[in-house]
C-alpha cells in the first residue's frame, strides 16, 4: 500500500521531487542568465586582458573604457535618443489604437461585427509583400521620416485579439448600467474598459515597448538619414564592422589596437549591454500583470 503523507509533513518521494524541481529551476536559470553575465564581465574587463580568455565569473582587470568608447561615438548616443523617443511615442499609440479597436469589435451591436473581425484577422496571414509595402510608404511620403517608425505599427491585430478576448470577460451589466446613466462609448471605454483591462493592457505595453526598442530592420529599409538610425541598427553595424575585409577592416583593426585596453570584442560586448539593460529594467514593473494578462486573453479567445 502507498504511504500517505501526514498533514503538514512530506513523504520521502515528495521531498526528492521538491529537490529535483529546485535543482531543475536553478539549472535553467544558470543556462539562461550565464551568457548575459559573461557578456557583462567581458564588457567591464580590460580588452587586452580579455584576449587571454578564462573569464568565467568575475572580471580580472576592471575598467569602464569599453563603455566610454561606445558613448564617445556620436552616432551611438544619437541612436539611443531616436530609440527612446520611438519607444515613448510608439508604445502608448499602439496601446491606444489597438485597445480602441478591440473595444469596438467586442460590441455585439456593431453592424457587420463578424465581417470586420475576419477582415482584420485576414491581414495576419496574408499581406501584399515587402515591395508593395515599401512603395505604399513611399507614396505616403513616410520614407526617411521619423513617422515611418510610428504610424505603420500603430495597430497590431494579435494584440487586438488579446485585448478583445479580455474585454469579453468584463460583465456586460457594467456597460449597460453606464449607458443607462447616459454614458457614451468613449466614456465607457476610458472609465470602465481600460481600468478593468489593466493586466492585458500592461502586457501589451511590454510587448509593444520591446518591439519598438529592438526594431532595426525598418530603420535599415526605410531610412537613409544618419539622424534616424535606431540603437539596434547601430549595434548591428558595430557587431559587423570588425568582420569586414579590405582597407576598411584593416583601418578599424589598427584603431582598435591603438586604443589602450580596448578591443573589438570588448567594445561589442559593451554595446550589447547598453542596448539591452534599459529594456530589461522595464520588465519588473509589468511582470506581475504579464501572466494574468496573456493567459486570460488566450483562454477566452
Amino acid at each position: 500500500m502507498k504511504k500517505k503523507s501526514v498533514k503538514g509533513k512530506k513523504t520521502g518521494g515528495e521531498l526528492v521531487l521538491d529537490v529535483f524541481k529546485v535543482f531543475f529551476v536553478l539549472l535553467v536559470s544558470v543556462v539562461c542568465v550565464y551568457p548575459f553575465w559573461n557578456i557583462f564581465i567581458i564588457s567591464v574587463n580590460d580588452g587586452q586582458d580579455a584576449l587571454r580568455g578564462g573569464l568565467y565569473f568575475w572580471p580580472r582587470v576592471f575598467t569602464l573604457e569599453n563603455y566610454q568608447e561606445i558613448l564617445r561615438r556620436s552616432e551611438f548616443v544619437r541612436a539611443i535618443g531616436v530609440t527612446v523617443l520611438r519607444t515613448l511615442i510608439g508604445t502608448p499609440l499602439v496601446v491606444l489604437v489597438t485597445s480602441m479597436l478591440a473595444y469596438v469589435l467586442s460590441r455585439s451591436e456593431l453592424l457587420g461585427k463578424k465581417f470586420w473581425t475576419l477582415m482584420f484577422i485576414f491581414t495576419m496571414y496574408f499581406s501584399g509583400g515587402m515591395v508593395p509595402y515599401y512603395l505604399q510608404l513611399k507614396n505616403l511620403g513616410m520614407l526617411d521620416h521619423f513617422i515611418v517608425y510610428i504610424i505603420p505599427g500603430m495597430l497590431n491585430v494579435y494584440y487586438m485579439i488579446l485585448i478583445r478576448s479580455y474585454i469579453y470577460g468584463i460583465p456586460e451589466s457594467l456597460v449597460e448600467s453606464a449607458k443607462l446613466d447616459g454614458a457614451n462609448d468613449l466614456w465607457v471605454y476610458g472609465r470602465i474598459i481600460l481600468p478593468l483591462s489593466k493586466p492585458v493592457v500592461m502586457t501589451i505595453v511590454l510587448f509593444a515597448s520591446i518591439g519598438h526598442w529592438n526594431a532595426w530592420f525598418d530603420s535599415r529599409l526605410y531610412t537613409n538619414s544618419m539622424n534616424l538610425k535606431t540603437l539596434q541598427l547601430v549595434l548591428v553595424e558595430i557587431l559587423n564592422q570588425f568582420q569586414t575585409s579590405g582597407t576598411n577592416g584593416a583601418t578599424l583593426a589598427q584603431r582598435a589596437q591603438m586604443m589602450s585596453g580596448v578591443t573589438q570584442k570588448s567594445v561589442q560586448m559593451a554595446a550589447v549591454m547598453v542596448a539591452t539593460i534599459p529594456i530589461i529594467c522595464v520588465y519588473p514593473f509589468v511582470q506581475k500583470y504579464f501572466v494574468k494578462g496573456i493567459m486570460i486573453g488566450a483562454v477566452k479567445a
Side-chain angles (χ1 to χ4, degrees), residues 17 26 30 39 55 79 139 158 168 177 186 190 195 213 216 297:
L17 183 60
L26 288 175
V30 170
I39 291 174
L55 287 175
N139 292 335
Y158 173 66
Y168 280 146
S177 298
L186 191 60
W213 186 269
W216 67 274

Side-chain angles (χ1 to χ4, degrees), residues 99 101-110 112-118 121 159-175 192-194 196-197 200 293 296-301:
S99 61
L101 176 64
Y103 171 68
V104 171
L105 293 180
S106 70
R107 307 314 306 149
S108 57
E109 63 268 24
L110 174 66
K113 171 185 172 181
K114 189 173 182 180
F115 168 78
W116 295 116
T117 302
L118 290 175
I121 293 177
Y159 299 164
M160 181 273 291
I161 293 174
L162 289 180
I163 299 176
R164 188 194 63 165
S165 300
Y166 194 98
I167 292 174
Y168 280 146
I170 297 175
E172 184 65 22
S173 57
L174 292 176
V175 178
I192 296 177
I193 300 300
L194 275 186
L196 294 178
S197 303
V200 73
I296 292 180
V299 170
K300 295 191 177 179

Side-chain angles (χ1 to χ4, degrees), residues 93-236:
L93 286 176
V94 169
V95 173
L96 178 65
V97 173
T98 303
S99 61
M100 289 182 74
L101 176 64
Y103 171 68
V104 171
L105 293 180
S106 70
R107 307 314 306 149
S108 57
E109 63 268 24
L110 174 66
L111 187 64
K113 171 185 172 181
K114 189 173 182 180
F115 168 78
W116 295 116
T117 302
L118 290 175
M119 186 186 74
F120 282 107
I121 293 177
F122 180 84
T123 64
M124 294 179 64
Y125 301 99
F126 303 97
S127 67
M130 187 177 294
V131 174
Y133 183 69
Y134 180 90
L135 294 175
Q136 183 66 23
L137 292 178
K138 182 179 180 181
N139 292 335
L140 293 173
M142 292 188 187
L143 293 183
D144 217 24
H145 287 283
F146 183 77
I147 58 173
V148 78
Y149 297 147
I150 306 299
I151 294 180
M154 284 172 59
L155 175 62
N156 187 294
V157 178
Y158 173 66
Y159 299 164
M160 181 273 291
I161 293 174
L162 289 180
I163 299 176
R164 188 194 63 165
S165 300
Y166 194 98
I167 292 174
Y168 280 146
I170 297 175
E172 184 65 22
S173 57
L174 292 176
V175 178
E176 292 175 355
S177 298
K179 289 192 174 182
L180 286 175
D181 290 336
N184 56 27
D185 282 305
L186 191 60
W187 193 96
V188 171
Y189 164 78
R191 296 295 184 90
I192 296 177
I193 300 300
L194 275 186
L196 294 178
S197 303
K198 191 174 182 180
V200 73
V201 167
M202 294 304 293
T203 301
I204 302 308
V205 167
L206 178 64
F207 285 168
S209 59
I210 290 176
H212 275 294
W213 186 269
N214 289 334
W216 67 274
F217 196 58
D218 52 358
S219 180
R220 169 158 286 181
L221 287 181
Y222 309 131
T223 63
N224 295 315
S225 173
M226 294 291 293
N227 294 327
L228 291 175
K229 281 188 176 182
T230 59
L231 178 59
Q232 301 299 332
L233 177 59
V234 173
L235 176 59
V236 169

Side-chain angles (χ1 to χ4, degrees), residues 20 40 60 62 74 86 94-95 125 138 146 182 207 234 237 241 244 247 262 284:
F20 174 76
F40 172 71
R60 279 193 301 261
F62 181 82
S74 58
R86 170 181 181 165
V94 169
V95 173
Y125 301 99
K138 182 179 180 181
F146 183 77
F207 285 168
V234 173
E237 293 175 350
Q241 66 180 357
T244 56
T247 306
V262 176

Side-chain angles (χ1 to χ4, degrees), residues 33-58:
V33 173
Y34 180 74
F36 186 77
W37 175 252
N38 186 250
I39 291 174
F40 172 71
I41 62 176
I42 293 175
S43 71
V44 295
N45 195 83
D46 181 83
Q48 299 297 332
D49 177 76
L51 293 176
R52 294 164 44 201
L55 287 175
Y56 301 113
F57 301 105
W58 308 103

